[in-house]
Amino acid sequence: IHKSLKISFWILLPLLFISGTKGSPDFHVSNYFEGSYELQATGALEQQLCGIVYFENTLETNTQGIQCSTLTLKFTSNESSDQYSMELLITKQNQSSPIKKGKYGVSEDIEGFLNDFDGVFGFANVRSLGEEPFFAKKGKVVITQITELGLRGYIDVALKCAKGTKIFINGSFSAAENRG
């Protein structure tokens, strides 16, 4: 009997510790690591876009000594032959903490990759539409939930290439932290 009680104690003790843990019912742990999205593209590209999305939330100081926070979202296609890719950068200048949940509008006046900016800068490459990249001209990115391991949100952006061709993309995503 003493031996049975001892074994039962060692089996029940770990269960006692585990039973007290809580998780967020709104955000499933599996979504942290999967990083997926479902977006609808209209305009020059009429199709459902699905794939993997990763994020990176960084703090940097530029050459003028201004601190800025940048959240990078990298969207890749599910298919093995990279049919398209898209990247969105959310930047806030004069900020000493990482990007938090909120609504971020596309910055329409960005002239290139090297300029400092506040807001969203986005670009996409779509093989079926040629070699020219598409740049975000209007829209928003909304981060609804964010932790160190994952984030959720949705996008509604209009992208345009130098020829004037437009793509409209909207939908939701659940991004995993980029670990490499």
Side-chain angles (χ1 to χ4, degrees):
I1 294 175
H2 181 60
K3 209 178 224 183
S4 298
L5 287 173
K6 199 181 221 184
I7 291 171
S8 297
F9 174 74
W10 287 110
I11 292 172
L12 293 175
L13 186 64
L15 292 174
L16 180 68
F17 288 119
I18 293 171
S19 67
T21 61
K22 292 183 179 179
S24 171
D26 301 325
F27 204 20
H28 302 288
V29 175
S30 63
N31 286 339
Y32 283 125
F33 305 106
E34 292 173 5
S36 62
Y37 64 91
E38 284 190 31
L39 307 174
Q40 184 62 45
T42 57
L45 183 67
E46 295 277 342
Q47 73 181 63
Q48 182 87 13
L49 306 176
C50 300
I52 300 169
V53 58
Y54 293 102
F55 82 96
E56 191 173 357
N57 210 352
T58 58
L59 290 169
E60 296 176 1
T61 304
N62 67 14
T63 55
Q64 290 84 26
I66 299 171
Q67 252 191 337
C68 64
S69 181
T70 302
L71 175 72
T72 306
L73 293 165
K74 294 182 181 184
F75 298 81
T76 57
S77 62
N78 260 345
E79 301 153 14
S80 59
S81 62
D82 296 327
Q83 293 297 317
Y84 58 87
S85 64
M86 183 170 64
E87 194 166 317
L88 297 169
L89 301 157
I90 302 171
T91 298
K92 295 294 285 176
Q93 289 187 14
N94 297 316
Q95 187 161 327
S96 59
S97 62
I99 298 287
K100 297 181 179 0
K101 67 180 185 175
K103 179 179 168 182
Y104 301 93
V106 171
S107 301
E108 297 178 38
D109 57 345
I110 298 174
E111 297 295 323
F113 292 110
L114 299 178
N115 292 343
D116 296 324
F117 64 93
D118 266 340
V120 177
F121 173 73
F123 61 93
N125 291 315
V126 181
R127 278 191 164 184
S128 63
L129 297 177
E131 295 292 320
E132 288 195 33
F134 287 78
F135 295 98
K137 295 297 179 186
K138 284 185 182 178
K140 64 184 173 191
V141 176
V142 179
I143 306 299
T144 58
Q145 203 165 26
I146 187 166
T147 68
E148 294 172 356
L149 299 174
L151 66 84
R152 281 188 177 187
Y154 62 92
I155 64 173
D156 186 6
V157 295
L159 298 121
K160 184 178 174 183
C161 73
K163 294 178 183 176
T165 306
K166 293 182 182 179
I167 302 172
F168 304 95
I169 298 178
N170 62 44
S172 61
F173 62 89
S174 176
E177 180 186 26
N178 188 4
R179 295 181 178 238

